[in-house]
Amino acid sequence: QVQLVESGGGLVQAGASLRLSCASSARTFSSYDMGWFRQVPGKEREFVAGIGWIGITTYADSVKGRFTISRDIAKKTLYLQMNSLEAEDTAVYYCAASSPRVRPSALPREYEYWGRGTQVTVSS
């Protein structure tokens, strides 16, 4: 069992920045694909960004150019740097881990481990 714990969410104004963190208990953190997802009430969980075990990154079109996913292998921590936040970015953000694939998956069902989420609220 891999435990994932998100932190760094909060309430900010449109145009501001936040950095989310996801601490992992995985013994071999670099052997997993990692992803960030978000969800609002009444909608399906949405892919935000992913990073593969060899470092390849991918982003949803809605956040491309504004968000950056990264990882610190020594600290076993995944990050999501969010700049130029918009009201539509408001959601609960989840980190997730999967077995490595050709490239990070955007499908929630293909991720085996999940954190409990952190709330991000952006006021307009």
Side-chain angles (χ1 to χ4, degrees):
Q1 180 69 35
V2 175
Q3 293 182 320
L4 304 172
V5 181
E6 303 95 336
S7 62
L11 173 63
V12 299
Q13 295 181 348
S17 297
L18 280 175
R19 189 177 74 162
L20 305 183
S21 299
C22 175
S24 173
S25 68
R27 181 175 178 85
T28 54
F29 177 73
S30 62
S31 297
Y32 292 88
D33 288 353
M34 302 291 295
W36 287 99
F37 293 78
R38 64 188 182 187
Q39 189 169 27
V40 299
K43 297 187 66 177
E44 294 292 310
R45 191 162 296 186
E46 176 189 18
F47 174 77
V48 176
I51 184 167
W53 68 280
I54 60 172
I56 297 174
T57 59
T58 185
Y59 297 89
D61 288 342
S62 59
V63 306
K64 193 172 298 182
R66 299 188 297 119
F67 292 9
T68 303
I69 188 171
S70 63
R71 63 186 177 185
D72 186 324
I73 295 175
K75 295 181 179 179
K76 297 183 178 181
T77 301
L78 178 75
Y79 301 100
L80 183 67
Q81 178 66 46
M82 304 185 294
N83 298 328
S84 301
L85 283 163
E86 305 168 353
E88 293 181 350
D89 295 318
T90 295
V92 175
Y93 283 71
Y94 300 89
C95 67
S98 75
S99 299
R101 302 175 183 273
V102 175
R103 60 182 178 178
S105 175
L107 301 175
R109 68 174 180 269
E110 295 184 349
Y111 285 78
E112 301 165 3
Y113 305 102
W114 292 85
R116 296 190 64 181
T118 185
Q119 176 71 47
V120 172
T121 302
V122 184
S123 62
S124 60

